[in-house]
Amino acid sequence: MDDDALTIDRFKNGERRAFDDLVIKYRKSVLNLIYRFTGRQDEAEDMAQEVFIRLYRSLKDFRGESSFFTYLYRVTLNLCFQERKKRAKAESRMSPEEDLEKIPSAATPHGEAETREARETVIKAVRGLPPDQRAVVILFRYHGLPYREICDILKIGMGTLKSRLHRAHASLKEKLRPYMEDMEIPTGTEVDADEL
Amino acid sequence: MNCSVFKTMMPDYETESLPGTTRLKWEEHLKSCAGCRLEWEEWMKTARLLDLHEEIEPEADFMPRLYVKLAMEDRKPRPESGVLPWFLAFPKAGMAIAGLLLVLGITWFAWSGLLQHNTPVPAVTQAAVSAPAAISEKHVADLKNFAGAGNNLLPEKIPAYNAEETPLEKVFAYDEFGNIGIDLVGEKDIAQLILDENRR
């Protein structure tokens, strides 16, 4: 039995503190999952609280058929999808200027206006993806989850997952192309340039 | 390895999850294919740019605000089971099922009404409407005598006749064959008997 399962057992046995432990452990992940999905920091905080309230209501019925982590991310994304539907009309009526106002100010050092602009473009590009592709990119890129776990959370097959990931990346690449010109060849996992 | 497979494996290579042999084949293709090298370069540049979407920290009052909401949640009366929580969780499905039940209900009522219209109405009811005037208090006495003579009708099932409480036409009726019927209106155990007028 993993740590989360033990904590949930404590909660089911009436120990309220166990729920706090879960919130403290996962609040940042949940908050950032929502933030990257919605692109809105101010709303992300309230939505993250709503996730934990839903969790509080449902945790007694949690039977551990999937890991708690998978369950929590599923609850979070379900809320994101619901909110997106609710606000789809409002967003379509919103002008680009209003849209930008919703993006929080970057904590970039003085003189990095270009980076700030790129950052805002990235946020808008991610937010502009279809929800199913957006969820895959966020879970893969920002939460570093393995394929299998993403499949479990979104209840999709491996082929669907890879297809969504590639389509999302292709779309993001086109939107971010203007910022790629001055970038150096990335280092890290790629093949050493001397070998090429 | 062809270009299509190479592209499919880019995220696996990035996360270092390719097995040894496949990884070597992938790297060989990277060296030999200029188009795929460009693809890979753009993949990684996109990944780098996406890193600009920085993490945020929860507000300092995240927990206190949540505690307040949870305390309110604890005070809410909430059904533990039943259909209401399910209905609230899936309102659209709930509305669809309610609509379906409504349609089925209306269909059932319409169908049963049609059946009633086509099925001959029990003779006693017809007679109750058509011939109440033929019934008198004497019939009540006759019926009690009939019951008292050891026939199937139990005397205690026959109420004391009170014309104000129970209109005569609700107690007795003749059917189309001239049989007399009794409906003990007002009794918990309503017995309905058809008595042969000729036997009376």
Side-chain angles (χ1 to χ4, degrees):
Chain A
M1 196 179 263
D2 64 19
D3 283 355
D4 289 342
L6 290 170
T7 310
I8 292 164
D9 270 358
R10 280 167 49 214
F11 176 72
K12 284 182 176 177
N13 290 329
E15 194 184 326
R16 170 66 185 272
R17 170 75 199 167
F19 185 78
D20 299 348
D21 291 346
L22 289 172
V23 178
I24 290 165
K25 183 175 178 183
Y26 287 108
R27 62 183 167 175
K28 191 173 171 183
S29 303
V30 168
L31 178 69
N32 278 288
L33 177 54
I34 296 169
Y35 167 53
R36 280 166 175 144
F37 194 92
T38 60
R40 298 192 167 105
Q41 190 170 353
D42 52 345
E43 292 175 15
E45 187 90 2
D46 284 340
M47 284 174 68
Q49 298 226 334
E50 175 62 24
V51 167
F52 286 111
I53 289 167
R54 287 186 182 194
L55 184 70
Y56 185 73
R57 285 181 197 146
S58 63
L59 198 57
K60 281 196 165 68
D61 300 324
F62 176 70
R63 285 175 292 181
E65 286 162 356
S66 58
S67 72
F68 171 72
F69 171 80
T70 302
Y71 176 73
L72 177 63
Y73 270 38
R74 206 178 282 156
V75 171
T76 307
L77 282 171
N78 280 343
L79 180 68
C80 289
F81 287 132
Q82 285 169 7
E83 287 298 314
R84 193 198 71 84
K85 277 185 184 173
K86 274 187 200 169
R87 295 169 192 200
K89 283 186 181 177
E91 277 185 17
S92 68
R93 286 195 296 266
M94 196 179 281
S95 70
E97 289 74 22
E98 286 172 318
D99 216 24
L100 269 180
E101 280 170 18
K102 291 280 183 182
I103 296 173
S105 299
T108 49
H110 181 69
E112 292 192 3
E114 205 170 296
T115 308
R116 183 176 186 273
E117 187 194 316
R119 179 174 166 272
E120 287 173 352
T121 308
V122 168
I123 293 172
K124 283 177 75 177
V126 172
R127 199 167 71 194
L129 289 171
D132 52 354
Q133 292 179 25
R134 206 186 316 168
V136 168
V137 164
I138 292 168
L139 294 174
F140 174 79
R141 182 63 61 199
Y142 297 112
H143 292 262
L145 297 185
Y147 287 159
R148 181 46 54 203
E149 205 131 12
I150 300 174
C151 288
D152 284 349
I153 291 168
L154 298 174
K155 295 182 179 173
I156 56 174
M158 192 68 79
T160 308
L161 167 66
K162 288 189 173 184
S163 156
R164 284 182 189 177
L165 183 59
H166 277 274
R167 275 186 284 141
H169 245 266
S171 169
L172 291 168
K173 185 175 79 179
E174 292 312 312
K175 287 174 182 169
L176 302 177
R177 193 177 287 286
Y179 301 97
M180 288 183 183
E181 287 170 11
D182 299 331
M183 285 178 81
E184 294 171 10
I185 297 171
T187 56
T189 55
E190 81 283 1
V191 177
D192 192 331
D194 295 338
E195 291 178 24
L196 301 178
Chain B
M1 182 176 289
N2 63 33
C3 297
S4 174
V5 175
F6 175 90
K7 286 174 194 167
T8 310
M9 289 180 174
M10 288 194 301
D12 304 279
Y13 185 80
E14 185 194 342
T15 55
E16 299 180 18
S17 51
L18 282 181
T21 322
T22 315
R23 183 185 172 87
L24 287 174
K25 285 181 182 172
W26 191 92
E27 288 175 349
E28 277 172 19
H29 184 87
L30 180 68
K31 286 176 192 172
S32 62
C33 180
C36 285
R37 242 188 343 262
L38 182 64
E39 281 285 338
W40 173 240
E41 195 181 303
E42 288 180 341
W43 175 276
M44 289 306 290
K45 281 181 177 178
T46 305
R48 241 193 189 183
L49 282 165
L50 288 173
D51 285 344
L52 290 172
H53 203 332
E54 296 158 338
E55 267 193 345
I56 56 172
E57 292 292 330
E59 297 285 338
D61 64 348
F62 186 93
M63 293 303 283
R65 282 202 298 134
L66 183 63
Y67 288 146
V68 170
K69 289 177 184 173
L70 290 178
M72 287 165 71
E73 190 66 20
D74 280 338
R75 277 194 224 117
K76 269 188 201 170
R78 202 171 55 252
E80 291 294 322
S81 59
V83 293
L84 186 61
W86 185 88
F87 190 87
L88 293 174
F90 307 101
K92 283 185 180 173
M95 292 296 282
I97 291 171
L100 184 66
L101 289 175
L102 187 67
V103 169
L104 285 174
I106 290 169
T107 309
W108 183 81
F109 272 112
W111 181 249
S112 61
L114 197 66
L115 275 179
Q116 225 169 30
H117 183 71
N118 292 333
T119 309
V121 179
V124 171
T125 312
Q126 276 184 346
V129 176
S130 62
I135 312 299
S136 70
E137 285 183 61
K138 183 176 179 300
H139 289 90
V140 180
D142 286 348
L143 198 59
K144 283 183 175 173
N145 287 337
F146 171 76
N151 291 298
N152 286 334
L153 181 62
L154 298 173
E156 61 269 24
K157 291 286 181 189
I158 302 169
Y161 174 65
N162 183 330
E164 285 180 12
E165 286 178 8
T166 313
L168 196 62
E169 63 271 22
K170 284 194 178 175
V171 179
F172 289 103
Y174 286 106
D175 67 14
E176 58 189 319
F177 305 108
N179 296 330
I180 189 168
I182 178 170
D183 187 358
L184 302 180
V185 179
E187 289 285 312
K188 276 186 183 176
D189 180 14
I190 294 175
Q192 185 167 21
L193 301 171
I194 302 297
L195 303 173
D196 187 342
E197 178 74 355
N198 295 331
R199 287 175 71 188
R200 288 177 68 248

